[in-house]
Amino acid sequence: MRLLQLRALTGIHLTLVCHRPHLPAALHQALQTADYCVTADFQAARRHYYGTTAPVPQSVDESARPADRWLTLPVLDRLVSYDSPIPCTAPCTPPAITFRHRPPPASLTEQTAREIARRLATVTAHPRLAAALAAALFTGASFQQLATARPGDYDDAAATLALHDRTRYTDGCATYRVPRWARVFLKAAVCFARLAPGQDQHLLAGLHDRTHLLRVAEAARLRPPQPSAGPRTGRIQWDWRERKEAQCYDAMLTRHQIPPSS
């Protein structure tokens, strides 16, 4: 029902895949108010979705396209971080971000931004996960800080997103400019949040969605820089830089400890 409501609000083309020989009774009833068609033929579904511009399936022998290669983005270095910002419970209108404790994220080129937007739209239909990953790319914020955003923190007219950090683990509560390519994802997340007011006030991914968000990033083949040396496990290492910095900090504390008196 929420998907159908999202379709009515945004005008998106919605394709439901039902892995059963017949529509379940609940789905059949829900579709009574929608204009829809049913097909059991995959090629017919492709023609219905794409029209006469249906892409030709790629042969299995064809090499991977550049669009399928990994995009290594330094801005994702802090997505998995040990910081623990606390959201604001009272109304908060933060000032524009001033990067004091971390460098500002590098702006994406137009070509890279366009490719990232294409990948996000391809790998997930979940508005919050897509918006959270998009926000990570223009804020450089950690997953925990992204989870502090509420529906009212996105200002569509001003194209700004507020994130909160009441305990000032990083740069405190701050407002970020939303680049043009990312606005469609934030708008969809706001529409999604308003479908169930009062039930869940997260605008972006909630704290329980961290694993899901990382899997979406990997499905889109987006990753932070990887260690140049060490064991190759075949899996993306999201927190290796944080672990390395923590080890250096622990070593520094150990060197400066006062030995016990004899």
Side-chain angles (χ1 to χ4, degrees):
M1 290 304 297
R2 294 182 72 186
L3 285 171
L4 290 174
Q5 292 174 27
L6 184 65
R7 170 184 173 274
L9 279 172
T10 62
I12 60 172
H13 184 117
L14 179 63
T15 302
L16 299 176
V17 180
C18 182
H19 296 279
R20 295 186 182 187
H22 305 287
L23 294 182
L27 178 57
H28 178 76
Q29 181 177 357
L31 290 172
Q32 295 308 302
T33 59
D35 181 17
Y36 71 98
C37 66
V38 177
T39 180
D41 179 79
F42 181 70
Q43 293 305 324
R46 288 171 59 85
R47 288 192 298 271
H48 177 74
Y49 187 85
Y50 292 105
T52 57
T53 60
V56 178
Q58 188 179 28
S59 65
V60 294
D61 297 329
E62 194 173 345
S63 59
R65 297 177 299 142
D68 295 328
R69 296 173 184 166
W70 285 101
L71 285 179
T72 300
L73 303 167
V75 70
L76 292 177
D77 259 337
R78 300 296 181 189
L79 182 59
V80 176
S81 176
Y82 298 146
D83 64 11
S84 301
I86 297 177
C88 294
T89 54
C92 176
T93 306
I97 178 66
T98 300
F99 292 94
R100 300 183 181 89
H101 307 294
R102 55 192 173 107
S107 299
L108 301 174
T109 65
E110 183 178 347
Q111 180 180 359
T112 300
R114 186 166 54 246
E115 174 60 16
I116 289 172
R118 183 196 70 81
R119 294 187 185 194
L120 290 181
T122 301
V123 301
T124 182
H126 199 302
R128 284 180 179 166
L129 294 178
L133 197 50
L137 294 174
F138 66 79
T139 64
S142 68
F143 172 78
Q144 290 93 323
Q145 189 171 22
L146 294 173
T148 65
R150 299 297 183 262
D153 287 323
Y154 175 61
D155 186 331
D156 187 28
T160 58
L161 173 68
L163 298 178
H164 302 276
D165 180 16
R166 191 151 51 94
T167 52
R168 301 188 67 82
Y169 269 84
T170 52
D171 295 304
C173 301
T175 299
Y176 302 77
R177 292 288 302 173
V178 181
R180 187 174 300 277
W181 68 267
R183 294 172 193 173
V184 64
F185 298 106
L186 272 296
K187 289 179 183 178
V190 170
C191 288
F192 188 77
R194 289 174 179 169
L195 293 177
Q199 294 184 22
D200 186 350
Q201 287 302 303
H202 285 289
L203 171 63
L204 308 175
L207 291 176
H208 58 285
D209 290 325
R210 189 176 96 157
T211 299
H212 301 303
L213 184 66
L214 298 184
R215 296 297 82 81
V216 167
E218 292 173 7
R221 301 185 77 77
L222 308 176
R223 66 182 180 185
Q226 296 296 287
S228 56
R232 297 289 181 176
T233 63
R235 300 189 62 179
I236 301 302
Q237 297 189 44
W238 286 95
D239 64 342
W240 71 274
R241 192 179 296 277
E242 286 280 317
R243 287 187 285 106
K244 181 179 179 181
E245 291 179 358
Q247 291 168 0
C248 292
Y249 182 71
D250 290 342
M252 181 185 67
L253 290 180
T254 301
R255 287 196 302 270
H256 290 82
Q257 280 182 347
I258 301 175
S261 56
S262 56

